[in-house]
Amino acid sequence: MLYFLLSVFFTVTLYLIMRAYPRYQVNSFHAVVFNYYSCVLTGLVLTPDLDAFSHVSWHSEGTLLTLALGSMFVTAFMLIGLSAQKVSVTAASLAGNMSLVIPVIFGLFVFKNNNKNFTAVNYAGLILALAALALGAIHKKEKTSTAQNGTTSPANWLLILPALTFLASGTNNTLINYLSVKYYLPGQTTVFMIIACIGAVIIGSTLLLYKLIFNGETIQVRGVVGGMILGIPNFLSLYFLLLALASFGNSAAYVFPIYNILTMLVSAFAAWLIYKEQLSKLNKLGLILAVVAIILISYQELGL
């Protein structure tokens, strides 16, 4: 249970750190790039046997696809940060956690690797999850649509950010599940994630170099520091989640629903406590529906 709680803690920390970037004038993209340098370093520190990398075939199909996964890492992370900053921490957390619907759908209809028969209750949970996501984003529109007389408020088009976060996070998780199962042994999960983060470093650094040369951007110390700080909870959130999975017999269908529920609720509470984010009635309803949706999706594993 300790691993479980630590995973939730570090995941929520991610949202809160990225939410603070505008206050400290941290360039989000720069921070995301350097965050993956920190992820790789953190992963290497936590790898019990670094000799495992000597057995990696860097030109194999699996390794190249894992490196390419880094582009999805960068995309998803940028969208999470933008959603947290431009909409709210709650909306970003809701979108990220409800994205479990996507790997579930792919597991059912594409990979056909589900280990249970989905019932009408499970499918109702999937539909309810989409409704919860919509309500989580709508609350901001409701709150800002009355802003007038030059009052600063996010434009309506920004409301698409949680939806894009939902799609990117879901795609990311689907690819992680697919590649890790197809190309890596169970004990190589940490190696797999470090290779994916190396891919994110390569892709992110290439894009950053382009911005520096052609857009005249400059790297500031606060961007580097912000990214290096972010990388630690980024890697640890997954690291402890994997340990939690192992402690519960690798029952992902049981662990992930509880993990997602706790993350959403703690994120909403922390955002209210630290950033004074006020939840509208629709936002609260979205959180409630999200909890109900996840329970419906996995009620069998939860023993209900």
Side-chain angles (χ1 to χ4, degrees):
M1 183 57 68
L2 177 61
Y3 296 147
F4 216 114
L5 296 177
L6 286 173
S7 179
V8 171
F9 170 78
F10 285 115
T11 302
V12 173
T13 301
L14 285 177
Y15 295 118
L16 297 178
I17 290 176
M18 298 194 81
R19 174 67 171 77
Y21 280 171
R23 176 183 298 180
Y24 296 100
Q25 298 180 330
V26 173
N27 185 300
S28 295
F29 179 75
H30 294 186
V32 166
V33 173
F34 286 104
N35 140 80
Y36 284 109
Y37 283 90
S38 180
C39 281
V40 172
L41 293 175
T42 304
L44 292 175
V45 170
L46 295 175
T47 301
D49 183 15
L50 293 177
D51 187 57
F53 289 96
S54 65
H55 303 293
V56 174
S57 177
W58 294 96
H59 299 289
S60 67
E61 179 182 73
T63 301
L64 292 176
L65 288 174
T66 304
L67 289 171
L69 179 61
S71 62
M72 202 65 234
F73 275 24
V74 175
T75 301
F77 222 105
M78 281 300 301
L79 287 170
I80 289 173
L82 288 173
S83 293
Q85 295 165 17
K86 304 296 185 180
V87 184
S88 72
V89 170
T90 299
S93 174
L94 186 66
N97 284 284
M98 295 314 297
S99 67
L100 70 86
V101 171
I102 295 178
V104 167
I105 291 176
F106 268 81
L108 283 171
F109 302 111
V110 180
F111 304 141
K112 301 184 184 300
N113 59 357
N114 54 298
N115 55 7
K116 70 173 182 179
N117 294 321
F118 256 51
T119 67
V121 175
N122 298 130
Y123 287 113
L126 294 176
I127 296 173
L128 197 60
L130 296 177
L133 172 65
L135 289 174
I138 288 174
H139 91 279
K140 193 65 178 180
K141 183 176 181 180
E142 175 190 72
K143 183 178 179 180
T144 60
S145 62
T146 57
Q148 298 176 355
N149 300 324
T151 302
T152 302
S153 62
N156 288 341
W157 68 267
L158 291 176
L159 298 174
I160 198 174
L161 288 174
L164 293 176
T165 299
F166 171 82
L167 293 173
S169 297
T171 302
N172 201 24
N173 291 335
T174 301
L175 292 174
I176 288 175
N177 291 338
Y178 175 72
L179 294 177
S180 62
V181 170
K182 183 173 182 178
Y183 295 105
Y184 296 86
L185 298 174
Q188 295 180 311
T189 304
T190 304
V191 173
F192 163 69
M193 291 309 303
I194 291 177
I195 293 175
C197 287
I198 291 175
V201 166
I202 295 172
I203 294 170
S205 298
T206 301
L207 294 174
L208 177 59
L209 186 62
Y210 177 88
K211 286 176 172 289
L212 295 177
I213 295 176
F214 296 101
N215 292 353
E217 294 187 10
T218 57
I219 297 176
Q220 297 180 333
V221 175
R222 66 186 67 189
V224 178
V225 174
M228 297 301 286
I229 292 174
L230 182 67
I232 297 174
N234 186 12
F235 194 91
L236 289 179
S237 62
L238 176 61
Y239 177 75
F240 284 114
L241 181 58
L242 295 176
L243 291 179
L245 277 168
S247 65
F248 282 93
N250 291 315
S251 178
Y254 174 77
V255 170
F256 278 108
I258 300 176
Y259 162 77
N260 288 344
I261 290 171
L262 288 176
T263 299
M264 284 187 293
L265 295 179
V266 174
S267 294
F269 176 75
W272 169 78
L273 184 66
I274 298 174
Y275 296 114
K276 310 303 180 185
E277 287 189 1
Q278 298 299 317
L279 304 182
S280 71
K281 292 180 179 179
L282 287 179
N283 191 199
K284 293 176 182 177
L285 178 59
L287 285 174
I288 294 172
L289 289 182
V291 173
V292 174
I294 295 176
I295 292 175
L296 293 179
I297 292 171
S298 302
Y299 75 93
Q300 298 101 319
E301 289 76 15
L302 297 175
L304 301 177

